[in-house]
Amino acid sequence: METNFFTEKELKDRSRMLESAMSEHTSLREALKKHAGEDPESIDWEKVSFKALRDRAKGELMEATNVVSTQGQLFRYGIQKVLFDGYKDVPTVYPDVVQFVPSSNRQEWYAPLYGAEVPTDVAFGGKFPDSRIKGLDTVLVNKKIGRMLSLERELFDYDQTGQVVTKASQMGKRVRYKEETDVMAAIYGATYSTAIGNRPTGYANLNQFGMEAADIALMNMVDPLGNNMLVMPSLLLVSTADKFNAAKLLNSSLQPSIPGASGKTASSGDSGTTGWTMTINPLQGLFSLKVSRFITANRCYLMEPKISIVFQEASPVEIVQENPLSGMAFENDIYRWRVRRLYQVAVLESRYIYAIQNT
């Protein structure tokens, strides 16, 4: 079950954020078409020769200042496109875990209320009992991440090996890596306790018994008022160390566990238990499996995704080029770009997550 709904204001903020990025991108494209006689969208930036691009600009433009300016715009557009492509192509799993929320302020307030208490039987002529309300009060302050990308002029002049494209693509990927790292750190740092009921008494390696216990605990989770929260666990998040173990547990058609070792299965001395030889696997198809390389070994979580983990977006990924006629570009023949992103990540309510392991 997903609750990824936006208010009218949130939709307008998100739309305005995307329109701003697209407008800047479109304006740069039109300027290049006008001054360089080249539509940058027709260029295969993965195979482009920046030396040939520079020579073409020199041949078509007479004034030296225009040559430098146009080259800078072309390089900026190329770096921008390759960086964005690298950002989008990174295989991350956090978008399947978080709820994206747009932000137009320095910080946003979250005050979600727990559900009202269940009505009780009332005697005829009797008094109706009051229902208590309890909630959370959380403030998320957006943070800024960024990095500089500096490349020598000679890399452009003699780039025949794709170094420029490679470096730009890596910068885009690193931004995406940072986002997933922050999401996984938020999950790891959430509150897990036996008092809440979202962790076992003692952590153990991922196994069938632990997953069954986690599912039962989440489905019986109660809020601070003692009301059932109706959590529906549907996603298992693991590290690369548990990738194949989890795949076997979730995809085997028949019982995947050894009796008495890592599952509630029949064995000598276990009277009254059910299942083992030729028994179906009760976990098959029950949860989707997500593997993140940014979770360290000995950590795995069962959860209902997109409920309590917020990814607060204040600005999209943006890249700005330093003026090629000033600063280090003028003094040292170095072109520089700055990557910038504003967002924040937090787990608002850890009762939707069960830490099977969190060591």
Side-chain angles (χ1 to χ4, degrees):
M1 178 179 67
E2 295 185 6
T3 58
N4 202 9
F5 301 112
F6 300 112
T7 65
E8 183 177 356
K9 179 180 181 300
E10 290 172 341
L11 287 172
K12 288 181 179 179
D13 291 340
R14 193 175 181 87
S15 177
R16 190 181 303 112
M17 187 167 57
L18 294 174
E19 286 176 0
S20 176
M22 292 300 297
S23 175
E24 197 276 340
H25 200 66
T26 301
S27 299
L28 182 56
R29 178 185 178 187
E30 293 301 321
L32 290 170
K33 288 170 67 176
K34 177 180 179 181
H35 295 293
E38 179 73 61
D39 183 355
E41 284 296 318
S42 64
I43 299 175
D44 185 353
W45 293 98
E46 296 291 339
K47 301 178 181 178
V48 69
S49 166
F50 284 93
K51 180 178 184 298
L53 201 60
R54 182 203 61 173
D55 293 340
R56 184 188 306 173
K58 281 186 176 181
E60 293 178 356
L61 298 174
M62 298 300 294
E63 295 184 18
T65 55
N66 284 343
V67 173
V68 175
S69 176
T70 302
Q71 284 186 70
Q73 287 183 314
L74 282 169
F75 296 154
R76 177 187 171 194
Y77 192 96
I79 294 293
Q80 189 179 67
K81 187 176 186 304
V82 173
L83 185 147
F84 287 153
D85 288 345
Y87 175 82
K88 292 185 296 183
D89 292 340
V90 174
T92 52
V93 302
Y94 81 86
D96 298 315
V97 175
V98 304
Q99 177 183 174
F100 288 96
V101 177
S103 171
S104 57
N105 303 299
R106 174 181 175 272
Q107 69 264 349
E108 302 291 344
W109 284 264
Y110 296 86
L113 296 176
Y114 295 107
E117 292 180 287
V118 177
T120 61
D121 295 339
V122 180
F124 290 107
K127 181 181 178 180
F128 287 88
D130 289 329
S131 181
R132 299 167 297 169
I133 293 179
K134 189 175 180 64
L136 301 171
D137 189 8
T138 306
V139 178
L140 293 189
V141 180
N142 291 311
K143 69 174 182 178
K144 177 168 63 176
I145 68 165
R147 197 80 181 187
M148 295 291 297
L149 175 62
S150 301
L151 300 171
E152 296 83 0
R153 170 75 178 270
E154 287 72 22
L155 275 180
F156 292 104
D157 291 345
Y158 306 112
D159 181 39
Q160 301 294 332
T161 60
Q163 296 179 71
V164 175
V165 172
T166 299
K167 286 193 174 185
S169 179
Q170 288 176 347
M171 179 64 77
K173 292 178 180 179
R174 295 301 185 268
V175 174
R176 191 76 159 181
Y177 290 163
K178 172 63 175 171
E179 293 173 5
E180 175 135 333
T181 300
D182 287 344
V183 171
M184 299 308 154
I187 294 174
Y188 169 71
T191 301
Y192 304 103
S193 69
T194 55
I196 294 175
N198 61 352
R199 61 153 290 178
T201 303
Y203 290 124
N205 293 332
L206 179 64
N207 57 55
Q208 182 178 343
F209 177 78
M211 289 183 60
E212 291 175 358
D215 179 87
I216 294 170
L218 286 176
M219 294 195 70
N220 289 283
M221 188 64 64
V222 295
D223 64 23
L225 296 176
N227 300 311
N228 288 323
M229 295 179 62
L230 306 181
V231 180
M232 297 298 293
S234 60
L235 185 146
L236 179 64
L237 180 65
V238 302
S239 68
T240 54
D242 283 314
K243 175 180 179 179
F244 294 102
N245 186 27
K248 294 172 187 176
L249 289 170
L250 296 181
N251 298 317
S252 298
S253 298
L254 300 178
Q255 173 63 259
S257 303
I258 300 172
S262 57
K264 289 184 176 180
T265 55
S267 66
S268 59
D270 290 338
S271 61
T273 56
T274 57
W276 178 40
T277 304
M278 301 303 292
T279 303
I280 65 166
N281 176 18
L283 298 177
Q284 186 183 22
L286 200 57
F287 313 113
S288 63
L289 175 62
K290 298 298 177 181
V291 182
S292 175
R293 69 193 70 199
F294 300 104
I295 296 180
T296 59
N298 300 323
R299 295 179 188 173
C300 52
Y301 309 90
L302 185 66
M303 68 179 70
E304 181 176 355
K306 300 192 175 184
I307 295 292
S308 63
I309 309 173
V310 170
F311 191 100
Q312 182 174 284
E313 291 187 292
S315 74
V317 178
E318 68 177 28
I319 180 169
V320 180
Q321 183 185 7
E322 184 181 50
N323 188 340
L325 299 178
S326 64
M328 292 187 67
F330 183 79
E331 296 177 1
N332 304 96
D333 262 355
I334 293 178
Y335 291 133
R336 299 202 300 174
W337 290 264
R338 187 188 68 203
V339 178
R340 178 179 179 271
R341 178 88 152 107
L342 291 178
Y343 66 88
Q344 188 55 277
V345 180
V347 175
L348 298 183
E349 176 52 85
S350 61
R351 286 175 170 84
Y352 288 91
I353 309 171
Y354 191 98
I356 298 174
Q357 277 190 290
N358 196 50
T359 56

